[in-house]
Amino acid sequence: MDTREHVDVSLIAGNVSAELKEAFFDVFCEQIKKVNAKGYKGFEPEIASRTVWKEMSVLTKVEEPEKLEARIVFEIIVEEDMVNPIRSLHGGCSALLIDNCSTLPIALLSLATTGRAEFGVSKSLNIWYHAPAMVGDRLRIVCTTLSYGSRVLTSRCEIWDTTNHRLIASGVHTKMPASTPKSTAKL
């Protein structure tokens, strides 16, 4: 199913305008189409398609009022294909959610401030595991930009178990803007 078919931006809370949400999803869906055109297969698209977009906001940073931060919140229910043999959320699945979800506030902030969504290329992804989540638990994934510069893009992500009211995992994702491909001119 196309992302555009199952995401109604009017149902996403937050202070981002409907026009910016639409523009963001236009760019986001274009990125997904590029990946799909390469024939990528794996577990990621199935799990990612089940995340529910709950909030998109661009806010003034509390710590630095002259700067902005983006915040995107998702929800997902832990299902059988997301767990390890002891039926708790697999660490690899947590990493997938943090990797994918933490990229999106960076893209939102860049689109809101420059008119161009920068998804970046990962430099590092540091994850801390705090507690297990079991099949059927509802997770709330809260991702916020930390810094947005010309060479380094950083966001943080927390996965909360709203069923049991505890932090499951947290992470910091550092990215850099993607470089433009070099020409392949022959001498």
Side-chain angles (χ1 to χ4, degrees):
M1 180 188 314
D2 189 329
T3 300
R4 270 297 205 198
E5 293 174 19
H6 77 273
V7 175
D8 180 353
V9 297
S10 69
L11 300 177
I12 302 172
N15 70 354
V16 172
S17 70
E19 293 77 21
L20 185 56
K21 289 175 188 173
E22 292 288 347
F24 179 85
F25 275 93
D26 287 344
V27 174
F28 179 60
C29 291
E30 197 57 40
Q31 289 288 320
I32 292 170
K33 285 179 186 172
K34 285 179 187 175
V35 171
N36 290 343
K38 294 178 182 177
Y40 174 74
K41 301 283 185 229
F43 62 91
E44 185 270 344
E46 175 60 32
I47 293 170
S49 71
R50 295 194 307 255
T51 56
V52 178
W53 295 68
K54 300 303 278 186
E55 178 190 338
M56 294 175 75
S57 295
V58 176
L59 310 160
T60 301
K61 278 183 99 54
V62 173
E63 299 80 7
E64 183 53 58
E66 293 182 12
K67 297 198 180 231
L68 296 173
E69 67 182 9
R71 170 184 159 100
I72 300 184
V73 178
F74 306 88
E75 287 187 356
I76 191 168
I77 295 173
V78 179
E79 295 184 22
E80 293 287 342
D81 62 345
M82 300 167 67
V83 299
N84 58 28
I86 59 171
R87 298 184 44 79
S88 66
L89 182 65
H90 194 288
C93 189
S94 298
L96 165 75
L97 292 170
I98 290 171
D99 183 8
N100 283 3
C101 295
S102 65
T103 296
L104 299 175
I106 291 170
L108 175 61
L109 184 61
S110 64
L111 183 63
T113 58
T114 70
R116 180 179 170 272
E118 176 61 69
F119 291 88
V121 177
S122 295
K123 291 177 69 172
S124 68
L125 182 61
N126 297 300
I127 300 172
W128 298 270
Y129 298 96
H130 306 281
M134 308 308 281
V135 171
D137 289 347
R138 179 179 298 278
L139 305 180
R140 184 171 176 84
I141 306 162
V142 181
C143 303
T144 310
T145 54
L146 290 174
S147 68
Y148 182 85
S150 62
R151 295 194 293 178
V152 178
L153 319 165
T154 309
S155 64
R156 72 171 169 251
C157 187
E158 298 174 339
I159 301 177
W160 289 89
D161 176 349
T162 61
T163 305
N164 298 295
H165 311 286
R166 60 186 176 191
L167 182 62
I168 301 304
S170 58
V172 173
H173 196 174
T174 303
K175 304 188 91 166
M176 63 183 188
S179 59
T180 54
K182 294 181 180 178
S183 71
T184 57
K186 296 180 182 178
L187 298 177

